[in-house]
Amino acid sequence: DVKVTQSSRYLVKRTGEKVFLECVQDMDHENMFWYRQDPGLGLRLIYFSYDVKMKEKGDIPEGYSVSREKKERFSLILESASTNQTSMYLCASSPGTGGFNEQFFGPGTRLTVL
Amino acid sequence: AQSVAQPEDQVNVAEGNPLTVKCTYSVSGNPYLFWYVQYPNRGLQFLLKYITGDNLVKGSYGFEAEFNKSQTSFHLKKPSALVSDSALYFCAVRDQTGGFKTIFGAGTRLFVKA
């Protein structure tokens, strides 16, 4: 089974802190994604990556950056955390380049910014 | 632009009764369509997808969905609901010509009462 792991289930940070969220997948998938999930808004794409060192902005990239130095690892960085970044963050991966493959999700990180 | 609508925030059904969770979509080209389920405090799990071919798609846990191109719908169905089906359900669409970006609906919470 594909496994996507995220470094923390719960995280509490203060406004202005730099925050790192780590995601690792063990199935050699080419594509990795970061979403945030907010009630009533569903999942919104922050960034995605289709190859090592490649990244593309999603719908809400402002205030975030990403890093993909190795195929299995995709990091989300909040440069200066703000209270409106309090949310559930979900990482996902998918294989191939066809676009028709489903995504495999990690358990999520619930981030609270005080 | 791609979009997904899940018109019901919540669906209530009695155990043993059939259930339907509605989804309509809008894409400029042909769609790839997906359903995911999220159980409490867990990440999303893939249920089923439509790529091409037969309009009736069968997936995990006895769920199925019907692709209706003329109505641009992809409703999720199950003939007999279980209490354990209670969860948050997300419909998602990807335009076949639109690269990697998948748009998720806002989610529908399903309550199955014993």
Side-chain angles (χ1 to χ4, degrees):
Chain A
D1 282 350
V2 174
K3 195 166 185 181
V4 179
T5 57
Q6 296 183 228
S7 51
S8 305
R9 292 299 303 273
Y10 300 93
L11 210 52
V12 180
K13 296 292 182 181
R14 297 208 174 272
T15 301
E17 281 193 77
K18 192 168 186 175
V19 182
F20 294 86
L21 303 182
E22 305 286 340
C23 175
V24 177
Q25 51 95 1
D26 65 358
M27 284 300 291
D28 203 37
H29 285 173
E30 287 78 6
N31 313 304
M32 297 189 75
F33 308 81
W34 275 106
Y35 295 91
R36 63 177 282 176
Q37 180 182 2
D38 298 291
L41 297 177
L43 275 68
R44 291 179 291 167
L45 182 64
I46 305 172
Y47 269 97
F48 66 96
S49 168
Y50 52 89
D51 200 355
V52 175
K53 297 191 184 295
M54 304 301 290
K55 60 185 178 184
E56 294 283 344
K57 292 180 180 179
D59 294 319
I60 51 165
E62 296 79 16
Y64 304 94
S65 62
V66 290
S67 172
R68 192 168 182 199
E69 296 295 320
K70 293 184 178 181
K71 191 174 185 180
E72 67 271 18
R73 187 179 297 270
F74 193 35
S75 302
L76 179 70
I77 303 152
L78 286 65
E79 298 290 344
S80 177
S82 63
T83 55
N84 63 12
Q85 293 178 309
T86 292
S87 186
M88 171 70 87
Y89 290 88
L90 295 173
C91 175
S93 71
S94 71
T97 58
F100 49 78
N101 291 308
E102 62 270 25
Q103 296 177 31
F104 296 83
F105 285 82
T109 296
R110 186 166 295 282
L111 173 67
T112 301
V113 182
L114 301 175
Chain B
Q2 303 174 90
S3 66
V4 176
Q6 293 182 242
E8 300 154 318
D9 292 336
Q10 184 172 310
V11 170
N12 298 306
V13 64
E15 189 173 34
N17 284 0
L19 70 87
T20 299
V21 183
K22 295 180 180 177
C23 172
T24 59
Y25 67 90
S26 175
V27 296
S28 54
N30 291 318
Y32 297 128
L33 293 155
F34 306 82
W35 276 101
Y36 291 86
V37 60
Q38 186 177 38
Y39 297 103
N41 300 312
R42 296 175 67 175
L44 275 70
Q45 297 178 34
F46 167 74
L47 273 181
L48 51 80
K49 66 182 176 184
Y50 171 81
I51 300 174
T52 187
D54 193 348
N55 289 343
L56 185 63
V57 178
K58 294 186 183 295
S60 306
Y61 312 122
F63 283 94
E64 59 188 29
E66 186 166 11
F67 170 61
N68 188 317
K69 188 172 184 177
S70 62
Q71 296 187 7
T72 61
S73 67
F74 190 56
H75 301 330
L76 181 70
K77 299 182 179 184
K78 188 174 182 181
S80 178
L82 299 172
V83 172
S84 57
D85 292 330
S86 299
L88 186 57
Y89 290 81
F90 291 96
C91 181
V93 67
R94 182 183 294 157
D95 191 327
Q96 292 188 21
T97 60
F100 294 94
K101 191 173 176 182
T102 300
I103 302 298
F104 285 80
T108 298
R109 190 164 295 280
L110 173 67
F111 287 103
V112 182
K113 187 176 180 181

